[in-house]
Amino acid sequence: MRRRMLLWIGIALGALILLLLAGGALAFYRASRQPFPQTRGTLRLPGLQAPVTVIRDRWGVPHIYASNLHDLFMAQGFVHAQDRFWQMEFWRHIGTGRLSEMLGKTTLNQDRFIRTLGWNRAARQDLERLGPEERAILEAYAAGVNAYLEQHRDRLPLEFTLFRLFGRRWEIEPWQPLHTVAWAKVMAWDLGGNWDDELLNARIVDRIGAERLKEIVLPYPADRPVIVPTPVAEVPEETLRALLDIGRSLQRMTLGDAPDIGSNNWVVAGSRTVTGKPLLANDPHLSIQMPSIWYEVALHCEPVTPECPLRVAGASFPGVPGIVIGHNDRIAWGVTNVGPDVQDLYLERANPQNPLEVEFQGKWEPVRVITEEIRIAGQAEPLLLPVRITRHGPVINDVVEALTRTQTLYAFRWTALEPSSIVRALLRLNRARNWEEFRAALADWDVPGQNFVYADVDGHIGYQATGRIPIRAKGNGLLPVPGWTGEYEWTGYVPYEEMPRRLDPPEGFIVTANNAVVDPAYPYFLAAVWDYGDRAQRITDLLRAKDRLSIEDMAAIQNDTFSLAAQAITPYILQVSFTDPLARQAQDLLRAWDFRATPESPAPTIFEAFLQHLLHEAWVDELGEEIVQELLTGGSHNRYWARWALAQPDLAWWDDLRTPQRETRDDIVRRAFEQAVAELRGRLGPDPRAWAWGKVHTATFVHGTLGQSGIGPVEAIFNRGPYPAPGTSAAVNNTGFNVQKGFAVRSLPSLRFIASTASWSDSRFIHTTGQSGQPYHPHYDDFIPLWLKGEYHPMLWSREEVERNAEGILILQP
């Protein structure tokens, strides 16, 4: 009897556990799927002035049709929130320096830094500069986001549910135009800084002297600006010691520490295309993340009227109205980063009698002090952060640990902290009809500075550089400068009318790939450091290879994995003899290589491992391990340096100062190659044929907040990958990696866009992950296989073709 009772108790407990597990699974299932957007039927959206139709095509791209601009942008805000509200929530907390309200003390340093710099204060300035039309659009967009919040308070994305389970709760406030404007500051920071090069150069100079820096930071060929390092005699020794720590602190404040951030774009005239009309291509290179930084959308006024003139499609940022990269019914445009020097660090001399005064031209000036209030999850009282601001900008000593011990104050000047008009530029760009209106719109595109390429249905192609670029009275912005003398002030900005531009060049194409914008004859200083040009050269070579180019040719160029660096460097490996059989096998694989970085090939693995060991062995004896590890993150620079150095067999850098004998170039090549082979044998086994690039060069799309939680089941919900990835650093298919963390992809072409002005319906598009930001949704990761294979989906344009490919039709009613 007792045994039978225990049996029944066991069965009952088992059944209860199963019921609890089933209940938990059901609750999780509901929590993960309840936030999915409604895409069919009718939905009431208070605030609309007239009905709006949202047709989502089979790739999850919404095509929005509205009769007025208010409703068009309100609907865009609504669909952005439907698919990506968690991303928008996270981004607005970054832009306003309020991450600690969500994530607690772990992000307090980031918030303190951002609030000290004043991204939030600068965004409020930008908002005040907006005209009534731009403000009305931002308010309409915000109304759409808030309509979503009003309807979905009890079924927000899964991230909110999990954070609440972890004990994290914060007020989900209404969306405001300020949150949109603040995102521009985040992108400006990610794309507009030159800290890494400046700070690293200073440490190199401290180690080997200014003259030898010229042998590390090499000049460009004659048709590019020459890098001229600034003498460092005026910089205190304590500054040099602090610079590395500053650089590391600032790097952690960006959206990621990915190398090879940049982009490709080009435009080809109709005289060189099979259609007789221009083709335009663009692929921005940004850090790998989940979901994609981009959201594809089409905005259509129906009917098109002078009051509602928009018909535009392409890539948008969740949280921002309009299209950043794309086309309307008349023009197409794409962007890459100019990379201008728009940040300066000023050394301020404080009054010994009054720390709230600093010297300027022999007089003491007051330091303005404001207090930032930072709320922290789990703490009842906010942190009060005093911020000191001089004429040059906010003082960063209090938020950079290495500077708290110095007597000199460091003020940070950056163009993005001054009033900006980029929102106006974006909205005017979307409705530009021709070259003149395009250029007029970009006059307001002040930060971050971008290379815009242009094509229109009338057959014109063009290029316009944008950005607010400071004119310095003295110096070139490479190192911190005295703020008290007045000698290094910004005296103005490069006039927009004198920024570089081109229209219908005789060669029939324009290429930009973060390479030098101007030659030495240009009268203004834009930057000291550019990409070294492998991508730009390869694109140019491929465009010249055919008389007439097609959309398929554009796609092939965007996905080209050929390494010009490998083509130039590999012969130096092949001319060296090896006694180790494994090294000879690896050498034979390089001998048969076509220099394409494909996932199945072992040759790129061997080459990239060799390159890192070559640079390490050339530099480490003179620069030290710490500096070398930082230098190894540079993709374009390192390849250019290796080509330059290998062409000089007796270069001093080849001699290893740690040994009594004098090494030659071939000695170091042999040593580096044998080290690379030994490393790969330990990682991948004894057969070099099995050292496939795709085994080490993998892409893992990591969720921005929960993807690195350290909780395996949670990461499995949100992350995708690893996947074998094509491409390599400085190839056109530029998939960058940080060698200290292996060859895993850290940056990539975040979208690929090809516009056909002959027929907009022939245009193509893909971004990295999928339209949805919600795990388990079919469109969360459906773009990944296409992106990996170099495929695209068509950019549907006419309403008829959109309806033929409709996945859902939603009518939004007032």
Side-chain angles (χ1 to χ4, degrees):
M1 187 71 177
R2 177 180 174 83
R3 191 173 292 175
R4 181 177 295 178
M5 184 178 295
L6 290 173
L7 177 62
W8 281 109
I9 290 172
I11 292 172
L13 286 173
L16 179 61
I17 291 170
L18 288 174
L19 284 172
L20 291 172
L21 290 173
L26 180 60
F28 179 79
Y29 180 87
R30 288 176 175 170
S32 63
R33 285 158 177 79
Q34 276 186 341
F36 287 3
Q38 179 180 340
T39 59
R40 295 181 175 88
T42 301
L43 187 63
R44 187 169 177 270
L45 212 63
L48 287 177
Q49 298 171 3
V52 174
T53 301
V54 180
I55 306 176
R56 277 182 166 83
D57 65 27
R58 58 196 177 99
W59 297 280
V61 177
H63 302 256
I64 303 173
Y65 300 88
S67 59
N68 61 79
L69 287 179
H70 173 276
D71 290 356
L72 190 65
F73 288 112
M74 183 176 178
Q76 186 184 14
F78 182 75
V79 300
H80 271 168
Q82 278 188 304
D83 285 327
R84 298 283 191 91
F85 183 69
W86 170 260
Q87 187 178 41
M88 294 166 65
E89 175 77 350
F90 183 57
W91 282 0
R92 67 169 162 176
H93 280 78
I94 293 176
T96 53
R98 297 170 55 197
L99 278 175
S100 299
E101 294 179 16
M102 300 172 62
L103 305 178
K105 291 182 178 180
T106 57
T107 54
L108 182 57
N109 286 340
Q110 287 92 323
D111 283 350
R112 293 177 69 244
F113 186 85
I114 290 169
R115 298 283 277 277
T116 295
L117 252 61
W119 297 4
N120 52 328
R121 301 189 297 274
R124 291 191 188 99
Q125 287 182 335
D126 294 356
L127 200 59
E128 292 171 1
R129 285 168 59 97
L130 290 178
E133 184 178 18
E134 295 92 22
R135 184 177 288 273
I137 288 172
L138 292 190
E139 288 174 350
Y141 180 90
V145 179
N146 292 330
Y148 163 84
L149 286 176
E150 188 65 28
Q151 296 178 10
H152 292 80
R153 289 284 178 184
D154 58 345
R155 45 195 177 97
L156 289 169
L158 180 60
E159 290 92 337
F160 290 95
T161 300
L162 292 177
F163 267 95
R164 286 166 182 167
L165 288 175
F166 298 152
R168 289 278 189 256
R169 290 180 177 271
W170 63 91
E171 179 186 356
I172 302 171
E173 63 192 48
W175 191 269
Q176 302 173 31
L178 176 68
H179 301 141
T180 293
V181 176
W183 179 244
K185 303 303 175 188
V186 182
M187 291 309 300
W189 178 261
D190 212 37
L191 297 174
N194 61 335
W195 281 84
D196 292 344
D197 289 338
E198 294 178 14
L199 303 179
L200 186 56
N201 288 349
R203 296 197 72 238
I204 292 171
V205 167
D206 192 39
R207 182 98 182 195
I208 62 174
E211 283 303 310
R212 294 210 67 195
L213 177 66
K214 298 175 184 178
E215 298 176 9
I216 291 290
V217 182
L218 300 176
Y220 286 88
D223 60 345
R224 298 182 183 182
V226 175
I227 300 170
V228 182
T230 300
V232 298
E234 62 192 3
V235 182
E237 184 179 350
E238 66 174 4
T239 302
L240 293 172
R241 289 196 302 269
L243 290 179
L244 175 62
D245 293 325
I246 302 171
R248 288 172 174 166
S249 299
L250 297 183
Q251 189 178 47
R252 287 192 291 269
M253 305 302 166
T254 65
L255 293 179
D257 61 352
D260 294 311
I261 295 293
S263 307
N264 304 318
N265 67 19
W266 63 91
V267 61
V268 183
S271 61
R272 298 182 58 87
T273 70
V274 297
T275 65
K277 291 285 189 177
L279 292 170
L280 181 147
N282 189 195
D283 54 290
H285 308 151
L286 298 170
S287 59
I288 188 170
Q289 55 190 282
M290 190 84 196
S292 167
I293 194 173
W294 302 106
Y295 182 90
E296 188 180 355
V297 66
L299 307 172
H300 294 273
C301 288
E302 196 174 73
V304 173
T305 65
E307 294 74 29
C308 191
L310 278 187
R311 291 187 68 205
V312 62
S316 68
F317 288 132
V320 180
I323 300 297
V324 179
I325 296 169
H327 72 82
N328 59 30
D329 58 332
R330 294 284 305 171
I331 74 169
W333 64 91
V335 301
T336 69
N337 199 23
V338 170
D341 187 343
V342 295
Q343 297 175 345
D344 278 343
L345 194 63
Y346 285 87
L347 285 65
E348 305 281 25
R349 183 180 287 167
N351 184 349
Q353 307 303 318
N354 182 355
L356 294 182
E357 290 183 342
V358 295
E359 182 181 352
F360 184 71
Q361 294 184 329
K363 298 180 181 179
W364 298 114
E365 292 187 340
V367 174
R368 185 162 61 100
V369 180
I370 63 172
T371 301
E372 292 281 348
E373 185 177 287
I374 301 177
R375 298 196 174 275
I376 305 166
Q379 290 188 192
E381 296 299 320
L383 172 72
L384 300 181
L385 176 71
V387 177
R388 294 172 287 175
I389 303 173
T390 75
R391 65 165 48 232
H392 298 118
V395 174
I396 62 173
N397 292 60
D398 296 334
V399 292
V400 177
E401 183 179 356
L403 296 182
T404 59
R405 299 184 297 273
T406 66
Q407 298 300 313
T408 303
L409 301 181
Y410 293 76
F412 188 95
R413 186 162 191 186
W414 177 30
T415 55
L417 300 182
E418 301 174 10
S420 168
S421 302
I422 191 171
V423 172
R424 179 185 302 126
L426 175 64
L427 297 174
R428 291 178 67 193
L429 174 63
N430 279 218
R431 63 178 68 180
R433 312 285 293 167
N434 51 46
W435 172 248
E436 290 74 22
E437 293 181 9
F438 171 78
R439 288 199 63 245
L442 294 182
D444 286 323
W445 195 289
D446 35 32
V447 286
Q450 297 288 288
N451 298 305
F452 276 83
V453 292
Y454 166 94
D456 67 30
V457 296
D458 295 324
H460 298 293
I461 65 171
Y463 162 82
Q464 177 68 57
T466 70
R468 181 191 294 141
I469 317 298
I471 299 172
R472 296 168 172 86
K474 184 178 178 181
N476 59 8
L478 286 175
L479 287 169
V481 293
W484 56 85
T485 67
E487 297 177 279
Y488 296 88
E489 297 303 291
W490 292 2
T491 60
Y493 301 97
V494 178
Y496 178 65
E497 284 303 317
E498 297 183 50
M499 289 290 285
R501 66 180 186 272
R502 299 187 78 188
L503 179 65
D504 297 328
E507 59 268 31
F509 61 83
I510 302 168
V511 174
T512 94
N514 314 118
N515 51 314
V517 174
V518 293
D519 61 28
Y522 184 68
Y524 298 104
F525 172 78
L526 299 184
V529 178
W530 311 87
D531 182 274
Y532 277 82
D534 276 5
R535 288 181 284 119
Q537 185 62 57
R538 177 63 176 169
I539 295 166
T540 300
D541 291 345
L542 292 172
L543 291 177
R544 286 176 171 159
K546 298 181 73 171
D547 292 334
R548 299 278 178 169
L549 295 150
S550 66
I551 293 174
E552 289 71 26
D553 292 322
M554 300 296 102
I557 295 171
Q558 283 188 331
N559 288 279
D560 182 73
T561 64
F562 190 91
S563 172
L564 286 174
Q567 184 184 45
I569 293 169
T570 298
Y572 294 99
I573 305 172
L574 300 182
Q575 71 184 23
V576 173
S577 60
F578 296 97
T579 57
D580 178 15
L582 200 62
R584 291 201 299 269
Q585 290 179 52
Q587 189 183 41
D588 288 342
L589 290 170
L590 289 182
R591 186 173 285 110
W593 188 27
D594 63 359
F595 308 116
R596 298 181 189 277
T598 55
E600 64 277 3
S601 173
T605 311
I606 298 167
F607 172 77
E608 295 293 353
F610 161 76
L611 181 61
Q612 305 310 319
H613 283 282
L614 177 77
L615 297 170
H616 183 275
E617 291 304 306
W619 290 336
V620 71
D621 56 321
E622 296 189 59
L623 297 178
E625 190 68 37
E626 196 170 30
I627 289 177
V628 169
Q629 289 305 315
E630 292 186 61
L631 279 173
L632 288 178
T633 63
S636 170
H637 166 268
N638 291 354
R639 284 153 172 74
Y640 185 79
W641 192 92
R643 293 201 300 272
W644 170 82
L646 287 166
Q648 304 174 73
D650 298 319
L651 190 69
W653 287 96
W654 297 128
D655 182 32
D656 188 345
L657 302 181
R658 300 168 299 182
T659 68
Q661 68 272 17
R662 180 177 178 83
E663 284 81 9
T664 66
R665 175 195 64 194
D666 289 355
D667 292 331
I668 300 302
V669 168
R670 183 178 292 105
R671 182 196 299 177
F673 194 73
E674 290 174 344
Q675 288 174 349
V677 168
E679 175 195 336
L680 295 174
R681 176 174 50 198
R683 290 178 62 182
L684 300 173
D687 184 0
R689 294 170 299 180
W691 297 348
W693 184 228
K695 287 185 178 179
V696 294
H697 190 62
T698 57
T700 302
F701 298 91
V702 177
H703 189 268
T705 48
L706 292 170
Q708 299 182 71
S709 64
I711 305 172
V714 172
E715 292 183 1
I717 292 170
F718 292 100
N719 296 347
R720 296 294 182 270
Y723 305 99
T728 189
S729 177
V732 180
N733 190 351
N734 185 26
T735 47
F737 47 88
N738 187 330
V739 69
Q740 292 100 321
K741 301 174 182 177
F743 297 110
V745 173
R746 307 284 291 177
S747 63
L748 41 61
S750 57
L751 67 80
R752 297 186 181 109
F753 164 54
I754 303 170
S756 170
T757 61
S759 171
W760 296 123
S761 295
D762 292 334
S763 301
R764 300 180 182 181
F765 193 96
I766 198 71
H767 62 73
T768 47
T769 57
Q771 287 289 95
S772 177
Q774 303 185 44
Y776 305 112
H777 192 280
H779 293 306
Y780 183 66
D781 54 11
D782 57 326
F783 282 178
I784 294 176
L786 298 174
W787 182 88
L788 288 168
K789 291 185 288 186
E791 297 177 356
Y792 304 73
H793 72 77
M795 290 183 73
L796 306 179
W797 183 243
S798 72
R799 181 152 183 172
E800 293 75 19
E801 63 187 357
V802 171
E803 289 177 345
R804 283 198 305 271
N805 288 275
E807 184 177 81
I809 300 177
L810 178 66
I811 308 299
L812 302 176
Q813 295 282 6

